[in-house]
Amino acid sequence: MKAEQLAVAGVRRLQPYQPGKPISELERELGLTRIIKLASNENPLGSSPKALAAARSGLSELHLYPDGSGFELKTALAAKLGVDFEQITLGNGSNDVLELAARAFLSAEHAAVFSEHAFAVYPIVTQAVGAQARIAPALRYGHDLDAMAGLVDRNVRVVFIANPNNPTGTWLSREELRRFLGLMPEQVIVVIDEAYFEYVREPDYPNALTWLDQFPNLIVTRTFSKAYGLAGLRVGYAVSSPEVADLLNRVRQPFNVNSLALVAATAALADEDHLARSVHLNGEGLKQLGAAFSQRGLRFIPSAGNFLAVDVGRPAAPVYEALLREGVIVRPIANYGLPNHLRVTIGTLEENGIFLSALDRVLGS
Ligand SMILES: *Cc1c(COP(=O)(O)O)cnc(C)c1O
């Protein structure tokens, strides 16, 4: 008997998520000591010192279960975002809430729509529940909302949209996205994944929370993993109508967010200085890398996030491997349908410089 034959059909066909290579793994493999990781869109400034202090003080209570209602974090989020407490669903990272949406709204009779080059978690959570995935071809690397709308019929229950998208960094304007929401039938749940919301500075970029009152079928997801620098603790959230939040909370594990994550995220939310410094540094780094790529004649996709997808003009896998030997971890994105691109997270200005020198050696320019 093969275990695989026992698995449900969606799981048998599932391609597992490929995370960025951890620093410790490269250390073990190559015996390198000076390694920089620009592979997982983590905050190069680290966590807020206030979040770290809160996590430290939480250590004395590790024998207790966390607050399963997430009262303090949800209260702080509600105040900060101007929404009601009942509209928030906490997750073990926002990946968790994306999965809750799939489990609450999709089954083998249903389909989900998303874009080519979109975030890898959408196909995974869709397939895991046995639903059909309908993938719209990208438009200039980004979401083609008309093509996506064209895939929506009676069977579609969920549309996943990343704004900005990972790994491309492309973003949708207020007008485009608002129009798309207006086109969606009421039985379609639209998930707008704003994992990079805090970083975005483009003036036409919308805050999807402002549409929740008009669209009861909208779910907006955000995370503490990126600009808030808490990827290791795993905490994210969804904001929706209270009715949708109630459904998401029914499938949520009662203690899905751990106690250190709850207190650290609450403290991080209050540390506006750290967030502002992180966003500023990211803007500088985007300019630095963008200018350096242009100077080298390398094309890149304009990005609103904390990363850039650069076309290295040849298959990117060997370039990725050679960068590893230089002690620089970036992300190959062939599995996203972009075999000549590497996705580089914006680091500190120094880390960006180290990456560029290594890239020059590797590309021989
Ligand atoms: C990083 C990322 C997430 C968030 O992951 P977490 O589970 O919150 O760490 C969600 N969506 C996109 C598009 C991302 O890039």
Side-chain angles (χ1 to χ4, degrees), residues 246-267:
D246 174 49
L247 294 165
L248 296 178
N249 275 294
R250 289 185 203 183
V251 284
R252 182 178 69 83
Q253 285 190 32
F255 305 110
N256 63 333
V257 185
N258 72 74
S259 52
L260 299 185
L262 288 171
V263 294
T266 307

Side-chain angles (χ1 to χ4, degrees), residues 93-95 98 119 122 162 166 193 195-196 223 225-226 234-235:
S94 58
N95 285 335
L98 295 171
F119 188 44
Y122 312 151
N166 170 18
D193 177 347
Y196 302 93
T223 182
S225 297
K226 305 288 162 56
R234 315 300 306 126
V235 51

